[in-house]
Amino acid sequence: MLKNRIDGEVQPGFKWGPFTMRIPFVHLRFSLPDMLQGFAVAGATGLALVPYFMALLGLSFEEAVVMAMFHTLLISFSWMLFGDPYAPGWLTPAIPFVVAFITAPAYLGDHASQFQAMTALSLNFSAILIFLGITGLGAKLIQIVPNVLKGGIILGAAIAAFMRVTKDGDAANVFQSAPIAGTLGVVVCLLFAFSKPLQLVAMRNQVLAKILGFGLLPGFVIAGTVGYFTGEFDYNIRWELLDVANASASLWAKASPFMIGWPPIETFIASFPLALITYILFFGDVVTGNEMIEQAQKERTDEKLEINSSRAHMATGIRNALMGIIAPFFSTQGVLWTGIQVILLKRWTQGRDKLDSIFDSIGSFYLFGLPFLFILLPLVTLLEPLLPVALAVTLILTAFACATLALSLVQDATERGAMVITAMAFSLFEPWLGLAVGIITIAGLCGFKVFMPNKKDD
């Protein structure tokens, strides 16, 4: 029986500890537009790292799809089990750092060592999140990081993402692999997500408003259709089911620390700096998500969206720990999918008559956590040509959102310049070196006072 929400209250659910579990068709309704968008966008994006899994880690196509399925399952059940009003996704800005880390000479070519490095990263990150979540120190710790350094890290991730999309031979470089369809798809998705003029026109045009209501889906449909006629996309549909049992068993044998051995202490130590830097990205996502929710909340007083940063820390930490021992590929378990959060909140702000609860939208977008898309190879292979588009769109939308957030964190011109230098250091060098260059640059140009926010100027 569907539970109705009292006006102005939090959407009903089962409380368990600090979390709230919401069951489909009991605590949330079905939303067709969000389901259709999620089927294409979340499905293709969930599979977007398959080329990385195969090229970098030596997995077969079936093993790579199963790994993507496990990652998506953990993401899709996050909102259901833990109750955060975020559209969860990857820590996308960290992906370029992660790829650089596992392709360093110490790990390149040794797939077992690469998987161990991923496990170490995941468990380090999980430990950081759970500790800071349980103690409540997360919000206090981030205050120690000055805005100029925080902005440098976030902007550095944005620059690294843009560089990844334009790098020759990279799986995300859709402009190279499908210049016409890929570029068109990316442009349409970017306009639909962030274009203010388009939003103004949609306020006066109901047809356009309905099209925009499908979020990123039109961009993927246009890219897929144009790519077929230009010959850039080749659809080779496999009419069979994925052999989940065998693929899962072989993936477990290749990737799980229970089979290949736990990472040595040296790997935990070497990966800890990247886990710390990823935490700054995570916190930036929390800050971004909270600000987006608070702005949207002004237009919907009938549903209170409960924001709890400590809960978000613990929930994401639990997911990272599970991912690290089941299907380790670090940065696939984040707190927020920025581009989708924008799309879903915009739909939510249209009113209760359009969408009763934000969880209706989130739940439908993530297909209520059901992994049938990954099992049906006809659907997987239908979306397979769109994987570079999905990865490029994810990186570009996230980079755009990160860049706007970073630039809003500082007002002083000197701090802005120091932030850009720090960002370039993070995008070009290894995390430790980037952090060192950033701290030295900021201290030299802005002074040590920025590292002491509570200290008054004399």
Side-chain angles (χ1 to χ4, degrees), residues 5 17 42 58 65 111 196 207 224 230 247 267 272 315 318 340 342 383:
R5 181 182 69 256
V65 170
H111 299 315
K196 290 183 178 179
V207 175
T230 61
T267 304
F272 194 73
I318 292 170
I340 295 304
V342 171
L383 293 174

Side-chain angles (χ1 to χ4, degrees), residues 37-287:
Q37 180 182 194
F39 191 82
V41 180
T45 305
L47 292 164
L49 286 177
V50 165
Y52 278 84
F53 300 156
M54 297 170 65
L56 297 178
L57 302 173
L59 297 181
S60 67
F61 176 74
E62 290 76 10
E63 292 166 346
V65 170
V66 167
M67 176 174 270
M69 182 182 74
F70 284 136
H71 295 164
T72 303
L73 279 172
L74 290 171
I75 288 173
S76 298
F77 278 106
S78 179
W79 60 269
M80 187 188 303
L81 295 177
F82 301 116
D84 285 319
Y86 307 116
W90 302 337
L91 283 156
T92 310
I95 291 176
F97 297 148
V98 173
V99 172
F101 183 76
I102 65 169
T103 54
Y107 307 109
L108 185 61
D110 185 349
H111 299 315
S113 294
Q114 288 177 317
F115 279 119
Q116 287 180 335
M118 289 295 189
T119 295
L121 276 166
S122 303
L123 295 182
N124 276 335
F125 188 56
S126 176
I128 293 170
L129 291 179
I130 292 174
F131 173 76
L132 295 177
I134 291 175
T135 61
L137 291 174
K140 296 179 181 178
L141 177 64
I142 206 68
Q143 292 175 359
I144 300 174
V145 180
N147 279 348
V148 59
L149 179 57
K150 191 192 310 178
I153 293 172
I154 296 172
L155 183 60
I159 294 172
F162 279 126
M163 291 172 64
R164 178 67 60 180
V165 171
T166 56
K167 182 179 179 181
D168 285 345
D170 195 277
N173 190 351
V174 73
F175 308 112
Q176 186 179 63
S177 60
I180 300 174
T183 301
L184 188 60
V186 168
V187 169
V188 171
C189 288
L190 187 62
L191 289 174
F192 276 33
F194 295 110
S195 174
K196 290 183 178 179
L198 203 60
Q199 296 295 331
L200 291 175
V201 174
M203 293 175 65
R204 302 187 300 270
N205 189 311
Q206 290 186 353
V207 175
L208 180 59
K210 288 183 179 180
I211 294 174
L212 291 182
F214 286 97
L216 306 179
L217 178 60
F220 280 76
V221 172
I222 291 172
T225 304
V226 171
Y228 174 77
F229 287 107
T230 61
E232 294 172 313
F233 296 153
D234 184 19
Y235 294 94
N236 296 311
I237 309 300
R238 291 174 56 180
W239 299 99
E240 56 185 303
L241 298 179
L242 178 67
D243 190 346
V244 178
N246 285 333
S248 298
S250 59
L251 174 64
W252 179 264
K254 290 181 179 180
S256 174
F258 290 105
M259 301 300 293
I260 64 174
W262 293 88
I265 188 65
E266 294 83 4
T267 304
F268 277 103
I269 294 173
S271 63
F272 194 73
L274 181 52
L276 279 177
I277 288 171
T278 305
Y279 174 75
I280 303 297
L281 298 174
F282 163 85
F283 198 89
D285 279 350
V286 173
V287 171

